[in-house]
Amino acid sequence: MSESTIAILVLGLIGVIFSLVGAGLLINAREFRRRALRAPGHVVGLRRSDSGDGPTFYPIVRFMTAYGQEVETQSRFGSNPPAARPGQTVTVMYDPADPGRIRIDNATGNGTLLGGIFLGVGLLLLLAGIGVGVASVL
């Protein structure tokens, strides 16, 4: 197997994997938005998580459900910079069956941005693999 064939297969496979992950994240975000209820929330803090790539911040939000239950919970999506800062008022999307499952209603906080990035990178890698394949044939 030639080096260009291996490059095509590797780029294509990684592109497909990234594209599938991105599409899955976008579909998950859309489905959550469909079933979620919205409420105004107040960011009361940030939980910092350190990794080799630098810190990630997860907003901790307090809000009142439609049924009058006060909830304080952490967003499932972290980012750097944070999707919201302490003291900020945000719109919270929450699962009515489990109000502890929340997302902040913006592209960074609800998973749309992350899904779009994965999908975009995956498609670029897939196109790069196709480009390498076409160039090796010519």
Side-chain angles (χ1 to χ4, degrees):
M1 201 178 275
S2 72
E3 286 183 22
S4 64
T5 304
I6 293 172
I8 293 167
L9 291 174
V10 169
L11 284 173
L13 180 62
I14 293 171
V16 167
I17 291 170
F18 268 67
S19 296
L20 290 174
V21 168
L25 287 168
L26 289 171
I27 290 168
N28 182 276
R30 183 186 56 173
E31 292 302 316
F32 187 85
R33 279 193 313 272
R34 281 186 178 169
R35 74 174 177 273
L37 297 178
R38 286 164 176 73
H42 185 73
V43 179
V44 296
L46 295 173
R47 184 182 67 81
R48 179 184 171 130
S49 175
D50 290 307
S51 67
D53 298 330
T56 302
F57 299 96
Y58 296 85
I60 300 168
V61 182
R62 184 179 299 138
F63 67 98
M64 189 77 68
T65 69
Y67 306 107
Q69 175 188 6
E70 185 176 69
V71 177
E72 182 174 308
T73 190
Q74 173 184 301
S75 174
R76 298 178 67 149
F77 286 97
S79 59
N80 188 359
R85 301 212 180 262
Q88 187 176 351
T89 299
V90 295
T91 300
V92 176
M93 296 184 300
Y94 68 93
D95 184 342
D98 181 6
R101 290 190 59 217
I102 67 160
R103 296 181 185 190
I104 294 175
D105 195 8
N106 63 29
T108 306
N110 68 21
T112 304
L113 180 63
L114 184 62
I117 290 170
F118 267 87
L119 183 60
V121 168
L123 291 174
L124 285 174
L125 290 172
L126 193 55
L127 288 173
I130 292 169
V132 169
V134 169
S136 68
V137 171
L138 299 176

